[in-house]
Amino acid sequence: MKQVNWGIIGLGSAALQFANSFNFVKNAKLLAIASKNPDKIKIYKENYNISENFCFNSYEDLINNQSIDIIYIAVPTALHFDSIIKCLKKNKRVLVEKPATVNSTQALSIKNEYMKIDSFFTEAFMYLYHPKIKKVIELIKSGEVGDLIAMESFFGNDVLSKKSFFGYKKRKKLNIKNRLYNKEMGGGAILDLGCYPISFSTLIASLNSKINYDNIVIFNKQKEIGSTGVDLDSYIGLKFENDFTSKIGVSFTKNLGKQTKIIGTKGELVIHDTWTSENSEIVIKKNNKTEIINIIGNQNIYSHEIETISQCIIEEKKEVDYPGLTIDQTIGNMKIIDKWLS
């Protein structure tokens, strides 16, 4: 079987989970890594059997290497744009960790560069490639819950509370050095988590009719801003042209969970774990009855993403297979995030 050679730029927590997933796929190989941290390079080299010749302390050296078929960009969000442009200028295929950019202006610039070349670009929403999402799409298209009316989708955990000596919750002091709480590094709940339910909302809405992103109405926007200037607890409502609505919430301060509910005229679908592979159940509620569908998928959710994208490259496709995101969908979703952040 033909294998696609991957390189990773940036060796943070996302890259670690991504690298582990190569153990579950046959059509892809982790060939190269790049980091400015020599200790991380050493760990990855040993754990993933990376040749010394493919361990780089310069991102540019990895980008310039002709043996690499596609690059996964996993540097902090604020650094995505520069890395993407450098890759595209060298005609390198790109998978960039979500969110692809910090605003829609950057996303538009990426499209302009992408259109000049014969390459491949997509944003890394690993959940979209899990079999349960494809099953949800199939159920909706088959009319299982009737015509779509609304949905609500959440992603949040209380990562900022700690218990005091007397058992009371006390909020931790925000660490400006942590990228999640650093505005200049693209921190905040909206950029880090909100891109998930935004991307899923526009995907589900598109099953009703084609989306015009500029005509999506924003309502009930709420944000709690922390001491470092980033949002910690944020909510928004979206109304599409076909009157389909989506209620979205993300948080670093509340245990909102990972549930999505999709409501139709005949019933509803519930995904208790939308974003990971910890729980792969789809619950169908209709006619006062409940049915549970168990979906089989790899425990490492990134493996589905890598396998699909690698196959696209083997088949010399210029865009990822549905429901992976096109550059226009990335731009549209970032326009929504722009309005949520404003």
Side-chain angles (χ1 to χ4, degrees):
M1 175 181 285
K2 185 175 180 180
Q3 283 191 320
V4 172
N5 291 327
W6 286 74
I8 299 178
I9 289 177
L11 302 180
S13 57
L16 181 62
Q17 297 179 69
F18 192 84
N20 287 334
S21 65
F22 285 90
N23 295 321
F24 299 91
V25 297
K26 295 180 180 180
N27 65 350
K29 176 183 179 180
L30 177 54
L31 181 70
I33 53 174
S35 175
K36 296 177 181 178
N37 185 327
D39 293 333
K40 288 184 178 180
I41 290 177
K42 182 180 179 181
I43 292 170
Y44 273 71
K45 177 186 175 183
E46 294 173 353
N47 289 351
Y48 303 108
N49 196 27
I50 309 294
S51 168
E52 179 71 33
N53 294 335
F54 291 101
C55 294
F56 303 103
N57 56 22
S58 163
Y59 299 157
E60 287 77 10
D61 287 345
L62 186 149
I63 293 169
N64 289 328
N65 192 284
Q66 296 303 307
S67 298
I68 300 163
D69 298 311
I70 182 169
I71 296 174
Y72 171 56
I73 297 174
V75 294
T77 303
L79 305 179
H80 284 180
F81 178 72
D82 286 343
S83 296
I84 293 167
I85 295 298
K86 286 177 181 177
C87 286
L88 293 179
K89 284 184 179 296
K90 293 294 183 178
N91 207 27
K92 283 292 187 183
R93 302 177 185 91
V94 172
L95 172 68
V96 60
E97 185 52 41
K98 59 77 208 165
T101 59
V102 296
N103 56 53
S104 61
T105 300
Q106 287 185 345
L108 282 164
S109 296
I110 289 168
K111 181 180 179 180
N112 291 337
E113 192 65 37
Y114 172 68
M115 295 300 288
K116 298 176 186 176
I117 60 174
D118 184 29
S119 191
F120 179 99
F121 172 88
T122 191
E123 189 175 9
F125 283 105
M126 74 292 186
Y127 80 94
L128 287 172
Y129 300 88
H130 195 281
K132 67 185 169 189
I133 300 302
K134 295 179 180 178
K135 185 63 177 179
V136 167
I137 294 170
E138 177 189 316
L139 290 168
I140 292 172
K141 285 186 172 181
S142 69
E144 184 66 33
V145 294
D147 296 331
L148 296 180
I149 299 172
M151 69 182 282
E152 51 186 48
S153 192
F154 300 96
F155 198 178
N157 289 296
D158 183 0
V159 296
L160 288 177
S161 292
K162 60 180 180 179
K163 287 188 177 181
S164 68
F165 180 78
F166 298 101
Y168 296 106
K169 280 188 176 182
K170 183 180 179 181
R171 183 171 292 185
K172 300 175 185 176
K173 184 178 180 180
L174 298 185
N175 181 3
I176 192 68
K177 294 181 180 180
N178 187 322
R179 68 165 186 86
L180 293 178
Y181 314 123
N182 187 318
K183 192 171 184 178
E184 297 302 316
M185 295 303 291
I190 292 173
L191 279 174
D192 191 61
L193 303 178
C195 53
Y196 283 98
I198 289 291
S199 63
F200 198 33
S201 295
T202 54
L203 171 65
I204 299 302
S206 71
L207 300 178
N208 257 352
S209 60
K210 187 176 180 180
I211 294 175
N212 184 330
Y213 288 91
D214 293 324
N215 291 339
I216 297 172
V217 177
I218 308 295
F219 64 96
N220 289 348
K221 182 171 69 172
Q222 301 173 49
K223 290 184 296 181
E224 176 195 345
I225 305 299
S227 59
T228 60
V230 301
D231 67 286
L232 305 177
D233 184 57
S234 300
Y235 304 85
I236 197 172
L238 307 178
K239 184 175 181 181
F240 298 84
E241 286 181 283
N242 51 26
D243 290 331
F244 178 78
T245 60
S246 182
K247 177 183 177 183
I248 293 168
V250 294
S251 186
F252 291 153
T253 65
K254 295 177 183 174
N255 294 316
L256 300 180
K258 297 174 282 188
Q259 180 171 292
T260 296
K261 181 189 293 185
I262 301 167
I263 304 163
T265 54
K266 295 180 180 178
E268 60 185 48
L269 299 177
V270 178
I271 314 166
H272 291 298
D273 176 14
T274 314
W275 320 118
T276 71
S277 54
E278 293 172 8
N279 181 335
S280 295
E281 291 181 351
I282 300 171
V283 181
I284 304 174
K285 297 181 179 181
K286 57 187 293 189
N287 301 324
N288 296 318
K289 295 181 180 179
T290 298
E291 177 187 357
I292 297 176
I293 302 175
N294 288 293
I295 305 298
I296 297 174
N298 288 336
Q299 190 61 31
N300 187 306
I301 196 167
Y302 291 85
S303 63
H304 298 288
E305 177 181 55
I306 290 174
E307 185 175 48
T308 299
I309 292 172
S310 296
Q311 191 56 40
C312 288
I313 293 171
I314 290 169
E315 296 174 9
E316 298 183 353
K317 295 180 179 179
K318 304 308 174 188
E319 287 190 343
V320 69
D321 288 344
Y322 181 83
L325 296 190
T326 65
I327 182 62
D328 285 332
Q329 289 171 314
T330 289
I331 293 168
N333 291 335
M334 285 310 306
K335 285 181 178 180
I336 298 171
I337 290 175
D338 285 347
K339 293 177 182 178
W340 195 358
L341 285 168
S342 65

